[in-house]
Amino acid sequence: MPFLTAETTDERDSLATFAQQQIDQIATALHRLDREQLAQIPSASEMSLGALARHVLLISERAEESFYAAPDAPPAPASTLDQLMAEGTISSEALREKDTADSLIEQLQQAGAGLAAAIREVDLETRGPVPDQPWFEGRTTWSLRWYALHLIEENARHAGHADILRESIDGKTAYELNALAAGEGWPPAGW
């Protein structure tokens, strides 16, 4: 069953592989959902799996751009950050009319691959500007290594959210979803 992160060869490969795997796990949580289930809000928050997927896509796209930005680029203007935060809020409005589980899975897989490629290509020692947001208080620059680890942490948190939301919708867990997404039967022999 394809659940564990693939073997890696070095630090850069490890960071890239783990970053991609966390996004792929979020995509796996969408497997076989219909539109109504994508929009369902099964907890006290406004978070649906579709809105969570949209949030991760936005953050991943911005992260990939940040990896490729010039090291001395200024932080994004506050108005741009405010707009991004409004767009990136995990609320029911984030899910778009045209979104389907399959379209979001494909976009998430592309985002994970793009982010992994960016991590593999940059100098991890390069320092970049930190967005002017309260949760980054006290930092003015960060190394791309730290940023890659932060993205893994952030997307791992969201993968956990996705697991809980999916289990609340139909009882399917990450192990089962990984097997089904890989075309394997469930449960595996010996379980």
Side-chain angles (χ1 to χ4, degrees):
M1 173 178 16
F3 186 72
L4 295 177
T5 306
E7 287 288 327
T8 60
T9 57
D10 58 23
E11 177 192 27
R12 182 184 307 278
D13 185 41
S14 296
L15 291 170
T17 301
F18 274 81
Q20 183 172 359
Q21 195 265 353
Q22 292 306 313
I23 296 172
D24 285 348
Q25 282 305 123
I26 295 163
T28 299
L30 307 179
H31 188 69
R32 294 187 181 173
L33 290 178
D34 61 30
R35 172 70 189 187
E36 184 178 306
Q37 291 169 315
L38 271 180
Q40 188 175 343
I41 301 171
S43 70
S45 73
E46 290 187 45
M47 194 183 307
S48 69
L49 277 168
L52 178 64
R54 276 271 148 229
H55 172 75
V56 170
L57 285 168
L58 177 71
I59 298 306
S60 298
E61 178 182 303
R62 299 301 179 231
E64 185 178 345
E65 290 170 4
S66 295
F67 276 104
Y68 289 126
D72 55 356
S79 61
T80 303
L81 289 172
D82 291 344
Q83 179 186 2
L84 281 177
M85 293 317 301
E87 292 173 5
T89 300
I90 308 174
S91 67
S92 56
E93 294 83 34
L95 186 62
R96 297 175 183 169
E97 193 64 38
K98 64 181 179 178
D99 287 335
T100 65
D102 288 341
S103 71
L104 290 170
I105 289 168
E106 182 179 342
Q107 291 173 61
L108 285 163
Q109 289 171 338
Q110 289 172 356
L115 181 58
I119 292 169
R120 284 187 172 95
E121 291 178 27
V122 299
D123 176 0
L124 296 173
E125 296 298 323
T126 300
R127 299 200 68 81
V130 176
D132 184 21
Q133 293 295 321
W135 47 89
F136 295 129
E137 185 178 337
R139 290 184 180 268
T140 56
T141 66
W142 53 28
S143 71
L144 294 182
R145 173 181 290 103
W146 185 92
Y147 187 41
L149 287 165
H150 169 69
L151 290 167
I152 293 167
E153 172 192 38
E154 180 74 9
N155 285 321
R157 182 178 299 116
H158 291 321
H161 291 141
D163 287 346
I164 292 167
L165 291 171
R166 180 59 190 259
E167 192 168 349
S168 297
I169 290 170
D170 65 5
K172 293 199 181 332
T173 63
Y175 287 110
E176 178 180 4
L177 290 168
N178 274 275
L180 295 174
E184 297 175 9
W186 186 258
W191 274 52

